[in-house]
Amino acid sequence: MGSITPNPSGKRIKIAIDRGGTFTDVWASAPNKPDVVLKLLSVDPGNYQDAPTEGIRRVLSIYGGFEIPRGVPLPKQDLDIVRMGTTVATNALLERKGRRHALLVTKGFRDLLRIGYQSRPRLFDLDIVKPEVLFSEVREIEERVTIEGFDEDIDGTVKTNVDEIPGVLVRGSSGDLMRILKPLDESGVKDTLQELRQMGMESVAICFTHSHIFGGHERRVGELAEEAGFNHISLSSEVAAKMIKMVPRGSSASADAYLTPEIKQYLRGFVKGFEGSHLDNIKCDFMQSDGGLVNYRGFSGLKGILSGPAGGVVGCARTCYEATSKTPIVCFDMGGTSTDVSRFGGTFEHVFESTTAGVTIQSPQLDINTVAAGGGSILFWRNGLFAVGPESASSHPGPASYRKGGPLTVTDANLFLGRLVPDYFPKIFGRSEKEALDADVVAGKFVELAKSINAETGKSMSPEEIAYGYLDVANEAMCRPIRSLTEGKGYEISKHRLGVFGGAGGQHACEIALKLGIQTVIIHKYSSILSAYGMALADVVHEEQEPTNEFYNGESLNILSQRVEGLKKKVSTQLREQGILEEDIEYECYLNMRYQGTETAMMVLRPADGDYEAEFLRIHLREFSFVFPAARSILVDDVRVRGIGKSGTNDEDGQGLGEELANMKFRSVLESLVEKETSVYFKSGGMQTTPLYMLEKLSPGMSIIGPAVIIDKTQTLVIIPGAEARILTSHVVIEINASKTSTAHASLTVDPIQLSVFGHRFMSIAEQMGRTLQKTAVSLNIKERLDFSCAIFGPDAGLVANAPHIPVHLGSMSYAVKYQHELYKGQLKPGDVLCSNHPESGGTHLPDITVITPIFGDDRQVAFYVAARGHHTDIGGYNGTSMPPESTELWQEGAQMRSFKLIENDYFDEEGIIKVLLDPAKYPGCNGSRRLSDNISDLKAQVAANNKGATLIQALMCEYTQEVVQLYMLAIQNNAEIAVRSYLSQALKTLGPKLSAVDSMDNGSEIHLDVSISEDGTAVFDFTGTSCEMLSNLNAPPAITYSAIIYSLRLLIGSDIPMNQGCLAPISVILPQGSFLNPSAGPAVCAGNTQTSQRVVDVILRAFSAAAASQGCMNCLGFFGSGGSDADGNPLSGSAYAFGETIAGGSGATSRQHGANAVAVHMTNTRITDPESLEKRYPVILREFSIRDGSGGKGVHNGGDGVVRDIECRAPLKFSVITERRVIAPYGIEGGGEGGKGANYWVKKNLDGTERWVSMGPKNMVQMQAGDRCVIHTPGGGGWGILGSTVTKVQAEDRVVDGVGIVHVPRAAGSIAAFQETQGGQH
């Protein structure tokens, strides 16, 4: 079944290899001979040095009929093609074992890659561990360019259609006019390069601002580096995707300098394994992350990070997708150490920015998402719930059955339940690596685990029930991201097929499909080695991409067409150099398009009719459920051409699949083909006698009704009862009959397994609501900054599940829902939708508008509520902003709604809500909203999110009955309560019954907290003594304190628990009326949400002696520009454009480790805007973004350092700062030193060119002129322990579980991870 036609030269053997983390898979073909399939250990130094070389040796020996000795150079005369995917780059990245190198970066940005986007990787880690950077040294270079115009220039104040001025104004490759602010200092560069060479550096990465469109400075430094003797030079303008954003482009250059020398070294060793130490006359290609092959000489580390997984996606697409029906497939790749998912609908889907092992990469990669740790995921009984991963047993020690003392894992559960049969599994385990899987030790461990769980719960579950429960929970957890990959992009999951591959995929395929509502599962006969086989089916690919800056209209079509043709020529040249004939090249042409005023660009493939705009609108409507009015311009950011060299591959497997499914007649399998009968556990029926078949003995046309097990040399397929497995020539197709395999039940006794599953179901609903809100909203705050939260509530308005990005939303929405619940008790009816934002009705600050929808049960009573809270960009307010630094009264902060019925009797009250949003204009110095259309669109998006949640909850009640769903709703809340009580009981033993803490705001107001813990695991949080409400905007509505308590408890507990109302059930909170934590109705509150919330968390952690103070503030910075005019030409009041951000600082040290530098702490986790995006959109220059060295408090463990952010105006702008910790320093703990205080400066540019530094104080708004700068110094964190004393250190990096587990680091982070990362990394 060779995939490549015989070569006329006589060479005949084709080999494809995937070197994975544990196993190396080999597929080979030769004319008129059976295919060869091999699986060998990737690392086996006792037998061979390199697994791919060993694989080729074995293939040549088999086809040649004689044994080629190891160590002898391999003969090449019969070799036609060798194709490989390798984990060399991936492993070097994960293990941080790449090449030592230096980074050269524009002055002011030495710490840019250390800071990244400032968000912390895991929302609820008290000990924040940021990924290590790859470079060993960094040096700043004197040079600077910026873009002359800016996107928000609605009045056209900057003229960009002017002539170039050499050395001052030049055209970038995109057509943008660039201003050279500082020419390159070549003398300084030479001195820097000489210094680095003297340090032994041989590899260097270079990244300058805006080099994606002006790469001249980088190229010149590259030339100087070559002259200085560097043997590897990575320019960000060449190795990355030539797209805007300095952080991922610089990170990509660093990754290339780190990885490519290792790849080249490996290739040199690989080539030496052949006769003559060369690969002349052999077509040797390597798989790249984008799913295309490249000649081995052009293979780089940066583009090879997903080399193996990409082969699997190509293999799945070629073998499991049939073009006749065009039914899209979800590719599900479950191996021993990783589970990846992707989607294929006829064309490969790519992402252009992703994160692997903490390194952000800007390079085309297939949209592959690692969603679990695979068969190695460790099984836990934790806080009364079944939990699977994310910790992994990895390949060493591996699962318990591997005979190396490992923990129970998913693989062990499959073995224990008969889903893996040791007799048919390779004997490669134990210390000698020659033993079979150990079923006895696994059985013993499950028996012990069952005793423990039953003792704690009072249940009498069998070990088999418990093992299956873990599989059920694992499957449910994997389904959540699969739904995001499909439904989150506007695709209906049930209209897909499930393409399953990887060694563990066949054991989970049926149950995964059943949970997703997918009818058909497709498993290719080479599914366990599909990454290798996919490389045999892949094409040689080359891409070229250039930035552009064009409006898509009639005038630009010719320009864009010319640029496409230019890129085609470059692509053609590269492919022809790799031996591809011009007639074999197919071109895919793309425009990267977005609406003006948004940052959501979509790579649009040229449709058959050539109408990119219509295709853009179609995709936008599918993915986001709306399009803007025709008047909104469409911008083109990039032009891309992907050249595909059809190098003899084919998709005959996919074509054969379609033909056989349509035409083949199926008959029942013969009983004589049953190899043996074995016992297998299924959810319906428990342990059952199950026939086992060998795949090689089954003929096409046979049908097997489950239960059944089908085995071949490298995989096991489990067919659940009621499902039908159909045998085709090259596939097994499983039809899932949902009516026969339905597993929903209506037991009214809480089952711990179902409790864990329901926890995932509830969270999945909240997450899908969030995806709906994000994709249907239009404002940047919701769609791109993801400042929103969606949640489910019970009939009493108690929180059930919350999917937040902003921790300050945690739990606070329940008070908004409870207010409406009490207000309308018994009066609501189906179709009603309410909204509110007032602090007295459970709001936090006014821009956060909460939309609430009741869901009714069969008795027409409220069964659940769903709610969506989103931060609206403009709701009016004083000086045109809802967050004025000087506000003292609530009316200054914009529109107010205690309760507004947004929809009643299917009528959306647009007129009424507009009146509310314009209402602030009646107050002195205030404006109403200037973005009414955005407000209305976002409110409708929130309604749509609630409708999604309501539909899913109603479906859940149909599946299980309302009574059962509400039973588990209460049970999941009770589970959270038990976890909190357990922690508090432990705290009582270690800390005592009485805890207290006090901290001061910068204006002298104090937060007092006394915690009293009781023997029953309850506690009173008493804030008596807290200062009275302020003539300021630092007043915090009670909902904020409740959010801070829930968040802090989650930090203190330190493990995953359901985040719901149960967390507060053991907690009594005393908030004195009239204090600034429980103010009256009138005072301003906007900074209570951003600043006071941080201090409440600090105080709670201080009371529990858990951590020193973090920066204690969000460092809210904003600027506002004027512009626009009315119909009569009069200037509009308010702001034409506005920008806001929160800025990182230092986190507090703990007894375990140092605080983290330059990170978003506690109640925020928003990302910072990339320097290039900031300068392209607004009239500013980011002069510096760096770490404030030494600003963290000193101690045994130092506090984290704050940052410096220096922004220069290029036009008159009004700057606003709302900050804290400018007067009162972040305290240390246990004798640790204070963190450095922050500061806000207005650097005025005098007429004579000198500067005048003026302190702005903690809160201010000032009108700056062109040339002025706003410089923010953020606080550091406090230290822990007296400097110089000694302690036993427990490093947080060593996330050890039962002595063996390590946190699973996803190898592939595509579009799902991009969303989940902003959702706080809540695993």
Side-chain angles (χ1 to χ4, degrees):
M1 187 177 150
S3 71
I4 305 170
T5 55
N7 189 307
S9 68
K11 290 176 176 269
R12 57 200 184 96
I13 298 175
K14 290 84 179 175
I15 301 177
I17 303 170
D18 172 35
R19 186 194 185 281
T22 305
F23 294 104
T24 291
D25 297 333
V26 182
W27 173 90
S29 76
N32 305 315
K33 292 189 177 183
D35 295 351
V36 171
V37 174
L38 301 173
K39 189 177 281 281
L40 56 153
L41 290 171
S42 293
V43 179
D44 191 0
N47 290 304
Y48 46 81
Q49 294 302 309
D50 178 62
T53 302
E54 171 67 9
I56 296 171
R57 185 193 70 80
R58 294 185 188 184
V59 168
L60 293 176
S61 297
I62 291 169
Y63 281 139
F66 63 92
E67 186 73 11
I68 300 173
R70 287 187 179 132
V72 173
L74 298 176
K76 297 181 295 184
Q77 66 269 18
D78 292 327
L79 273 177
D80 181 13
I81 289 176
V82 174
R83 291 178 171 177
M84 281 180 57
T86 176
T87 58
V88 170
T90 314
N91 292 343
L93 198 58
L94 290 170
E95 299 167 10
R96 292 299 194 263
K97 293 181 179 179
R99 190 62 54 93
R100 189 165 173 261
H101 70 282
L103 173 69
L104 305 184
V105 67
T106 302
K107 185 175 181 181
F109 297 100
R110 70 177 187 275
D111 297 317
L112 185 66
L113 300 191
R114 296 186 192 279
I115 301 170
Y117 287 129
Q118 82 177 15
S119 55
R120 57 192 184 276
R122 293 167 61 90
L123 195 62
F124 298 117
D125 280 358
L126 184 58
D127 296 301
I128 300 170
V129 180
K130 297 177 69 175
E132 297 177 5
V133 294
L134 303 180
F135 53 84
S136 303
E137 299 288 335
V138 60
R139 297 292 185 273
E140 292 184 326
I141 299 299
E142 291 276 4
E143 71 83 41
R144 189 64 159 95
V145 301
T146 192
I147 294 179
E148 183 69 355
F150 63 100
D151 288 351
E152 296 289 344
D153 188 8
I154 61 176
D155 292 332
T157 56
V158 180
K159 305 302 180 186
T160 58
N161 56 344
V162 298
D163 293 335
E164 295 185 51
I165 304 174
V168 180
L169 290 174
V170 297
R171 290 282 168 197
S173 60
S174 62
D176 289 286
L177 189 64
M178 310 297 298
R179 181 171 290 274
I180 299 177
L181 300 169
K182 187 170 189 60
L184 179 67
D185 177 10
E186 292 197 13
S187 175
V189 169
K190 291 177 181 178
D191 291 342
T192 297
L193 292 171
Q194 184 178 6
E195 174 203 358
L196 292 171
R197 287 292 293 123
Q198 290 173 349
M199 296 172 65
M201 292 288 175
E202 296 181 346
S203 183
V204 64
I206 305 166
C207 181
F208 297 153
T209 54
H210 301 288
S211 62
H212 66 297
I213 51 179
F214 179 76
H217 286 176
E218 278 193 6
R219 288 191 294 272
R220 180 55 184 148
V221 173
E223 293 169 357
L224 294 174
E226 189 173 4
E227 293 172 7
F230 286 86
N231 56 30
H232 185 84
I233 302 161
S234 296
L235 308 183
S236 77
S237 54
E238 293 183 0
V239 300
K242 296 184 180 178
M243 300 175 80
I244 193 170
K245 290 188 182 178
M246 188 178 180
V247 171
R249 202 175 63 253
S251 183
S252 298
S254 179
D256 186 75
Y258 189 69
L259 299 175
T260 297
E262 297 297 314
I263 286 286
K264 297 300 184 186
Q265 180 176 316
Y266 170 77
L267 289 174
R268 285 192 293 271
F270 176 71
V271 169
K272 286 181 180 178
F274 293 84
E275 289 179 347
S277 296
H278 62 75
L279 291 176
D280 294 352
N281 301 318
I282 296 178
K283 298 173 185 173
C284 182
D285 298 322
F286 275 71
M287 175 61 72
Q288 300 185 110
S289 301
D290 66 355
L293 296 166
V294 67
N295 183 270
Y296 76 96
R297 294 184 179 87
F299 187 55
S300 72
L302 179 66
K303 295 186 177 181
I305 292 172
L306 297 185
S307 179
V313 175
V314 172
C316 188
R318 294 278 192 250
T319 63
C320 299
Y321 177 83
E322 45 103 2
T324 304
S325 70
K326 292 184 168 56
T327 304
I329 52 174
V330 171
C331 304
F332 179 76
D333 175 8
M334 186 173 184
T337 55
S338 188
T339 301
D340 299 332
V341 296
S342 55
R343 180 185 180 277
F344 184 79
T347 57
F348 291 111
E349 298 178 2
H350 293 89
V351 293
F352 297 87
E353 182 179 326
S354 61
T355 302
T356 300
V359 179
T360 305
I361 302 297
Q362 188 193 76
S363 181
Q365 296 185 349
L366 289 175
D367 189 1
I368 303 171
N369 298 267
T370 297
V371 299
S377 296
I378 300 176
L379 312 182
F380 298 99
W381 172 249
R382 182 186 286 157
N383 299 319
L385 290 174
F386 285 68
V388 180
E391 294 85 358
S392 171
S394 194
S395 56
H396 182 83
S401 55
Y402 280 20
R403 299 179 180 269
K404 292 183 180 179
L408 285 176
T409 67
V410 168
T411 294
D412 298 314
N414 278 312
L415 176 66
F416 183 60
L417 297 175
R419 291 160 173 250
L420 288 176
V421 184
D423 292 345
Y424 298 91
F425 215 83
K427 293 178 173 57
I428 55 174
F429 304 103
R431 301 297 174 187
S432 66
E433 296 186 346
K434 294 180 180 179
E435 298 181 74
L437 290 171
D438 192 338
D440 293 336
V441 73
V442 170
K445 282 179 174 283
F446 271 113
V447 168
E448 290 303 312
L449 181 60
K451 289 179 182 178
S452 175
I453 292 174
N454 288 332
E456 185 174 328
T457 62
K459 302 286 183 180
S460 56
M461 292 184 290
S462 69
E464 289 79 9
E465 287 177 296
I466 286 171
Y468 185 83
Y470 279 110
L471 295 185
D472 199 20
V473 171
N475 291 336
E476 189 63 49
M478 289 187 286
C479 286
R480 280 169 59 183
I482 293 173
R483 292 187 185 104
S484 294
L485 183 69
T486 52
E487 294 174 350
K489 294 184 175 183
Y491 301 110
E492 188 175 336
I493 181 66
S494 62
K495 292 184 178 178
H496 290 66
R497 291 171 174 169
L498 188 66
V500 176
F501 55 107
Q507 294 126 57
H508 295 256
C510 288
E511 279 111 338
I512 290 283
L514 186 62
K515 285 179 178 290
L516 293 170
I518 292 176
Q519 180 67 28
T520 303
V521 176
I522 300 174
I523 304 173
H524 190 265
K525 72 174 186 177
Y526 291 143
S527 67
S528 67
I529 61 151
L530 202 60
S531 289
Y533 189 58
M535 290 165 202
L537 304 178
D539 297 313
V540 176
V541 169
H542 183 78
E543 288 200 14
E544 290 286 343
Q545 183 170 318
E546 289 181 353
T548 187
N549 186 28
E550 299 285 348
F551 287 99
Y552 189 86
N553 52 39
E555 297 178 5
S556 66
L557 289 179
N558 187 48
I559 297 173
L560 293 170
S561 178
Q562 290 177 6
R563 299 197 69 166
V564 166
E565 290 303 315
L567 292 182
K568 277 185 176 181
K569 291 179 181 178
K570 292 182 180 180
V571 167
S572 173
T573 299
Q574 289 293 324
L575 289 176
R576 283 187 284 109
E577 287 179 358
Q578 296 186 57
I580 306 298
L581 300 177
E582 181 63 41
E583 56 265 30
D584 293 330
I585 301 175
E586 291 182 3
Y587 298 98
E588 292 179 351
C589 304
Y590 297 83
L591 298 182
N592 198 25
M593 307 172 78
R594 64 181 170 90
Y595 277 119
Q596 187 177 23
T598 75
E599 295 181 6
T600 306
M602 291 182 294
M603 196 65 74
V604 178
L605 174 64
R606 185 186 187 277
D609 63 1
D611 190 343
Y612 283 99
E613 181 176 9
E615 183 70 2
F616 170 78
L617 296 175
R618 186 188 68 79
I619 296 172
H620 202 281
L621 182 63
R622 185 204 71 220
E623 190 155 337
F624 302 127
S625 302
F626 75 94
V627 292
F628 283 102
R632 178 74 72 103
S633 297
I634 297 173
L635 287 170
V636 180
D637 287 336
D638 303 276
V639 178
R640 172 185 170 219
V641 172
R642 180 176 173 86
I644 303 167
K646 296 296 183 179
S647 51
T649 65
N650 60 62
D651 54 0
E652 66 181 22
D653 287 342
Q655 293 172 359
L657 171 67
E659 293 169 1
E660 291 186 345
L661 283 177
N663 302 316
M664 186 173 284
K665 304 299 183 183
F666 293 93
R667 62 195 183 281
S668 295
V669 68
L670 299 174
E671 288 188 18
S672 61
L673 291 175
V674 175
E675 189 76 13
K676 63 179 288 188
E677 289 188 333
T678 185
S679 293
V680 182
Y681 187 95
F682 297 97
K683 187 169 187 177
S684 55
M687 194 66 79
Q688 300 180 35
T689 299
T690 303
L692 184 149
Y693 302 89
M694 300 304 296
L695 181 58
E696 63 192 31
K697 296 181 180 180
L698 301 177
S699 302
M702 289 184 173
S703 168
I704 300 172
I705 304 297
V709 173
I710 302 174
I711 290 180
D712 73 1
K713 296 177 182 177
T714 56
Q715 63 185 324
T716 301
L717 312 182
V718 177
I719 315 301
I720 62 175
E724 178 189 4
R726 297 176 176 178
I727 310 303
L728 278 63
T729 303
S730 299
H731 303 82
V732 176
V733 175
I734 306 172
E735 296 295 335
I736 307 295
N737 190 327
S739 63
K740 295 182 180 180
T741 55
S742 177
T743 57
H745 61 85
S747 171
L748 292 178
T749 301
V750 173
D751 169 59
I753 298 168
Q754 284 299 309
L755 181 62
S756 304
V757 170
F758 266 96
H760 283 290
R761 292 293 288 269
F762 287 136
M763 276 301 295
S764 177
I765 292 170
E767 288 169 352
Q768 289 186 71
M769 289 174 64
R771 294 288 296 200
T772 300
L773 176 53
Q774 183 202 12
K775 74 187 184 110
T776 55
V778 300
S779 69
L780 296 179
N781 270 333
I782 295 177
K783 179 173 287 296
E784 289 157 17
R785 292 187 67 240
L786 302 186
D787 193 347
F788 67 83
S789 187
C790 295
I792 308 168
F793 305 86
D796 62 350
L799 177 65
V800 177
N802 194 176
H805 165 47
I806 308 296
V808 77
H809 290 172
L810 262 175
S812 64
M813 267 200 293
S814 63
Y815 300 95
V817 177
K818 192 175 290 291
Y819 181 92
Q820 307 302 322
H821 172 74
E822 297 294 337
L823 183 66
Y824 286 97
K825 185 172 287 186
Q827 301 175 47
L828 294 172
K829 57 185 182 297
D832 286 348
V833 179
L834 312 168
C835 66
S836 70
N837 69 345
H838 199 284
E840 280 206 328
S841 58
T844 50
H845 64 173
L846 296 182
D848 285 345
I849 299 178
T850 305
V851 174
I852 302 162
T853 302
I855 302 169
F856 292 84
D858 296 334
D859 56 2
R860 298 189 64 78
Q861 299 298 310
V862 174
F864 286 91
Y865 290 95
V866 286
R869 174 173 286 174
H871 186 107
H872 285 242
T873 305
D874 189 350
I875 59 163
Y878 189 71
N879 277 334
T881 174
S882 60
M883 292 195 65
E886 63 271 51
S887 61
T888 57
E889 302 293 332
L890 193 63
W891 57 261
Q892 296 171 309
E893 295 180 352
Q896 305 172 42
M897 291 171 276
R898 280 185 170 82
S899 180
F900 181 83
K901 192 166 279 191
L902 190 63
I903 299 178
E904 185 174 21
N905 297 324
D906 296 325
Y907 174 71
F908 185 94
D909 189 1
E910 185 167 333
E911 182 179 348
I913 195 66
I914 286 176
K915 183 178 182 301
V916 171
L917 292 167
L918 293 177
D919 194 56
K922 70 184 182 185
Y923 296 106
C926 294
N927 301 98
S929 172
R930 279 188 59 174
R931 292 177 173 82
L932 288 172
S933 63
D934 283 5
N935 294 131
I936 299 300
S937 295
D938 284 350
L939 287 169
K940 289 181 177 179
Q942 289 173 264
V943 172
N946 286 359
N947 288 343
K948 179 69 170 180
T951 299
L952 293 171
I953 288 174
Q954 286 163 343
L956 194 62
M957 291 193 292
C958 286
E959 183 180 351
Y960 286 94
T961 76
Q962 177 181 332
E963 194 173 13
V964 169
V965 174
Q966 289 188 320
L967 172 73
Y968 280 98
M969 171 201 75
L970 294 172
I972 205 76
Q973 291 174 329
N974 292 338
N975 177 265
E977 178 181 350
I978 291 169
V980 173
R981 283 180 182 268
S982 175
Y983 168 75
L984 290 172
S985 296
Q986 186 63 33
L988 175 66
K989 296 175 184 176
T990 57
L991 300 174
K994 301 290 184 182
L995 313 175
S996 63
V998 179
D999 195 14
S1000 296
M1001 309 296 285
D1002 279 351
N1003 65 5
S1005 296
E1006 293 183 338
I1007 299 174
H1008 285 245
L1009 172 62
D1010 292 296
V1011 180
S1012 301
I1013 306 176
S1014 301
E1015 294 284 347
D1016 62 355
T1018 61
V1020 177
F1021 282 59
D1022 185 355
F1023 290 89
T1024 300
T1026 296
S1027 300
C1028 61
E1029 63 186 48
M1030 309 179 196
L1031 190 67
S1032 163
N1033 50 26
L1034 288 167
N1035 302 291
I1040 287 175
T1041 298
Y1042 286 110
S1043 292
I1045 292 172
I1046 288 184
Y1047 169 78
S1048 299
L1049 287 170
R1050 173 62 180 82
L1051 285 188
L1052 294 167
I1053 290 170
S1055 62
D1056 287 341
I1057 63 170
M1059 303 299 292
N1060 60 44
Q1061 206 67 35
C1063 294
L1064 290 177
I1067 309 296
S1068 298
V1069 182
I1070 300 174
L1071 286 173
Q1073 182 69 42
S1075 70
F1076 76 93
L1077 298 183
N1078 190 5
S1080 58
V1085 298
C1086 68
N1089 188 66
T1090 58
Q1091 314 303 318
T1092 307
S1093 64
Q1094 297 278 56
R1095 305 302 282 281
V1096 174
V1097 172
D1098 272 350
V1099 169
I1100 294 170
L1101 296 180
R1102 187 178 204 178
F1104 283 84
S1105 301
S1110 289
Q1111 65 163 332
C1113 142
M1114 292 188 192
N1115 301 297
C1116 296
L1117 168 73
F1119 58 75
F1120 311 87
S1122 59
S1125 56
D1126 60 22
D1128 298 324
N1130 301 312
L1132 293 173
S1133 60
S1135 303
Y1137 55 88
F1139 172 79
E1141 64 184 8
T1142 60
I1143 307 175
S1147 73
T1150 70
S1151 61
R1152 294 173 295 276
Q1153 71 169 53
H1154 301 298
N1157 300 332
V1159 70
V1161 300
H1162 295 322
M1163 300 301 274
T1164 185
N1165 202 31
T1166 55
R1167 304 176 100 195
I1168 201 82
T1169 305
D1170 189 272
E1172 293 172 351
S1173 298
L1174 182 68
E1175 294 182 9
K1176 179 171 175 55
R1177 190 156 191 176
Y1178 301 103
V1180 296
I1181 300 170
L1182 185 60
R1183 287 294 186 180
E1184 181 180 357
F1185 190 32
S1186 63
I1187 295 173
R1188 282 182 70 200
D1189 291 335
S1191 58
K1194 299 298 183 286
V1196 173
H1197 294 151
N1198 297 329
D1201 290 335
V1203 304
V1204 175
R1205 195 154 172 92
D1206 184 340
I1207 301 175
E1208 178 181 331
C1209 304
R1210 300 194 69 198
L1213 294 171
K1214 193 177 289 184
F1215 266 79
S1216 162
V1217 290
I1218 302 177
T1219 62
E1220 273 288 313
R1221 293 288 193 202
R1222 269 54 182 173
V1223 178
I1224 307 294
Y1227 53 79
I1229 197 170
E1230 302 294 338
E1234 293 180 339
K1237 292 178 283 189
N1240 308 320
Y1241 299 106
W1242 178 6
V1243 183
K1244 293 180 141 186
K1245 187 173 184 180
N1246 298 322
L1247 293 176
D1248 61 0
T1250 58
E1251 294 178 344
R1252 176 184 167 211
W1253 285 64
V1254 179
S1255 174
M1256 297 169 64
K1259 299 168 187 65
N1260 216 324
M1261 179 177 278
V1262 298
Q1263 179 64 55
M1264 295 191 184
Q1265 302 302 316
D1268 290 354
R1269 289 157 46 215
C1270 181
V1271 182
I1272 307 295
H1273 289 186
T1274 69
W1280 183 91
I1282 300 172
L1283 186 64
S1285 63
T1286 59
V1287 295
T1288 301
K1289 297 184 179 182
V1290 180
Q1291 294 298 327
E1293 292 92 331
D1294 300 332
R1295 295 292 301 278
V1296 176
V1297 181
D1298 297 334
V1300 294
I1302 58 172
V1303 169
H1304 177 62
V1305 179
R1307 64 178 179 179
S1311 58
I1312 298 174
F1315 177 79
Q1316 289 181 333
E1317 179 182 312
T1318 51
Q1319 292 289 300
Q1322 298 177 78
H1323 344 68

